[in-house]
Amino acid sequence: MKSAYPFFRMLRLPNLAIVFLSLFLPYYMVLRPAIAEAGGLPNLSREAFILLAVATVLTSFAGYFINDIFDEKIDAVNRPERLFIGKYLPRRAAIFIYVILLVSVLWLAQRLGIRYFPERRMEVLALFGGVSVALFLYARFLKCTPVLGNIWVAILCALVPVVALQMELRPLHILSLTAPETAQRTLLIYWNFVVFAFLTNFFREMVKDIEDFGGDAACGCRTFPVIRGIRVARRVAGLVGAILFFVLILLTYFWFQTGAPMWKIGCAVLFLLLPCGFAVFKTWGGEVKKDFSQASLAIKILMLAGLVLLSF
C-alpha cells in the first residue's frame, strides 16, 4: 500500500491526459470538422486515430519513465515521498520496462503506417522513433543544461497537436484549394495551439527547475537556477510568464473583437488570465518550494483550460 501513491505519481496521469487532449481536441474539434465541412474525407478513421493517440501517449509516458530512471538520485532529494524507481522498482527492471515501452511505440507506429498510411509508413515510424530519441536525449543529456533543456521539452510538447495534422496533409491540401478561407482559419487555430503549448510548457519547465533546485544542486545538475541562483531564475521565469500573460490578453481581446460568446470571454478571464497571473505572482515573489509548486499547479490548470477554450 505504501507504494501505491508513488506508483500513481509515476504514471503522470494528469500530464498524459493533457497530452491526449492536445492531440484529440484540435483534431476532432477543429481539423476534422473543417475537412468535412468542405466535403472532404479525413485520412484518419476512428481506429486509426486510436492507434495514433495510444502511440502518442505511450511515447510521452516512455519519456517520463526514462526521465525518472535518470533522475532517481535527484528525486530522492526533491520528492522522497514520491520516489518509486529505485525504492520499489529496481533500476534494472525499470530499464527493461522502458525498452518494452519503446518497442510497443514502434510496433504501434509500424501498424499505423502499414495499415492506414502504406505510402508513408517509414515516415510514421521515423516520427515516433525520432520523438522517442529526442526524449531520451533530454533525459540523459539536456535536462541538466540551463534553458536549452526547457526549450527542448517545450518544442516537443508543442508538436503534439501537429501529429494529427501531419496525417491529414492531403485532405488539408484539397481544403486549401476548395475552401481557402476555411483552411487558413483552421491552420491559424492550430498555430494557436502550438504557440500556447510551447509557452505554457516553457513557463512550467522554468518554474519546475526552481522547484527542484535542492535536488539538482545536490546532484550536480546544472540547471539555470543552480548556475545563476534562485533570485535571477525567479525573474527570468516570471518574465516568461509575463509574456504568456500578455499573449493571453491579446487572445482574449481577439475573441471579444470577433464576437465570441460572453461565456468564453468569462472563462478566459477566470481560467486563463487569473491562473497565469497567479503563477507569475508566485514565481516572481516565491520564497519557499511550496510557492513554486502552487505556480506549477496553476500552469497545469491554465494548460487544460486553454486546450478546451481554443477548441471552441
Side-chain angles (χ1 to χ4, degrees), residues 12 26 34 52 54 71 93 108 124 148 174 217 225 255 271 280 296 309:
R12 307 291 214 294
L52 181 69
V54 172
D71 279 1
L108 287 168
V124 175
L148 177 59
I174 297 173
W255 284 339
F271 300 111
V280 172
S296 184
L309 290 175

Side-chain angles (χ1 to χ4, degrees), residues 156-218:
L156 290 175
C157 292
L159 290 177
V160 172
V162 184
V163 173
L165 190 68
Q166 285 294 312
M167 302 300 163
E168 299 287 6
L169 287 181
R170 182 172 296 177
L172 189 60
H173 175 67
I174 297 173
L175 180 66
S176 67
L177 299 176
T178 58
E181 291 186 1
T182 301
Q184 290 176 3
R185 184 175 68 251
T186 301
L187 288 175
L188 175 62
I189 296 174
Y190 250 87
W191 277 110
N192 286 338
F193 275 103
V194 171
V195 172
F196 177 79
F198 175 81
L199 288 176
T200 51
N201 279 282
F202 186 39
F203 184 26
R204 183 171 178 271
E205 287 296 315
M206 295 290 288
V207 171
K208 191 167 174 290
D209 278 352
I210 303 174
E211 185 183 357
D212 293 344
F213 173 82
D216 290 341

Side-chain angles (χ1 to χ4, degrees), residues 33-255:
I35 295 173
E37 180 185 333
L41 292 175
N43 281 335
L44 286 170
S45 64
R46 182 181 299 177
E47 293 76 14
F49 181 82
I50 290 174
L51 274 178
L52 181 69
V54 172
T56 302
V57 172
L58 205 59
T59 300
S60 300
F61 178 62
Y64 288 126
F65 200 80
I66 189 63
N67 192 61
D68 284 348
I69 292 174
F70 285 121
D71 279 1
E72 179 186 336
K73 293 181 180 179
I74 296 175
D75 289 341
V77 177
N78 287 330
R79 303 174 181 85
E81 75 285 356
R82 302 181 187 178
L83 189 64
F84 187 80
I85 295 176
K87 185 175 182 180
Y88 298 103
L89 180 68
R91 182 182 178 87
R92 186 170 297 180
I95 293 173
F96 179 71
I97 293 174
Y98 173 68
V99 172
I100 292 176
L101 289 171
L102 282 186
V103 171
S104 300
V105 166
L106 295 178
W107 179 82
L108 287 168
Q110 184 183 44
R111 182 175 175 81
L112 177 66
I114 291 175
R115 186 168 180 179
Y116 298 101
F117 302 93
E119 73 286 355
R120 298 174 60 193
R121 61 185 182 278
M122 294 307 298
E123 181 183 333
V124 175
L125 188 62
L127 172 65
F128 284 97
V131 171
S132 297
V133 170
L135 289 170
F136 177 85
L137 290 175
Y138 166 77
R140 180 63 181 87
F141 300 107
L142 297 175
K143 184 183 184 301
C144 290
T145 58
V147 184
L148 177 59
N150 306 132
I151 295 175
W152 190 271
V153 169
I155 290 174
L156 290 175
C157 292
L159 290 177
V160 172
V162 184
V163 173
L165 190 68
Q166 285 294 312
M167 302 300 163
E168 299 287 6
L169 287 181
R170 182 172 296 177
L172 189 60
H173 175 67
I174 297 173
L175 180 66
S176 67
L177 299 176
T178 58
E181 291 186 1
T182 301
Q184 290 176 3
R185 184 175 68 251
T186 301
L187 288 175
L188 175 62
I189 296 174
Y190 250 87
W191 277 110
N192 286 338
F193 275 103
V194 171
V195 172
F196 177 79
F198 175 81
L199 288 176
T200 51
N201 279 282
F202 186 39
F203 184 26
R204 183 171 178 271
E205 287 296 315
M206 295 290 288
V207 171
K208 191 167 174 290
D209 278 352
I210 303 174
E211 185 183 357
D212 293 344
F213 173 82
D216 290 341
C219 298
C221 190
R222 295 175 59 81
T223 59
F224 187 76
V226 173
I227 293 177
R228 300 301 301 271
I230 292 289
R231 183 181 180 84
V232 175
R234 285 185 319 184
R235 298 295 183 262
V236 173
L239 178 61
V240 173
I243 293 172
L244 173 60
F245 186 76
F246 178 71
V247 170
L248 293 175
I249 289 177
L250 292 180
L251 180 63
T252 305
Y253 180 74
F254 172 77
W255 284 339

Side-chain angles (χ1 to χ4, degrees), residues 252-253 255-257 260-270:
T252 305
Y253 180 74
W255 284 339
F256 178 76
Q257 287 292 98
M262 289 309 298
W263 68 262
K264 187 173 183 177
I265 306 301
C267 287
V269 173
L270 287 175

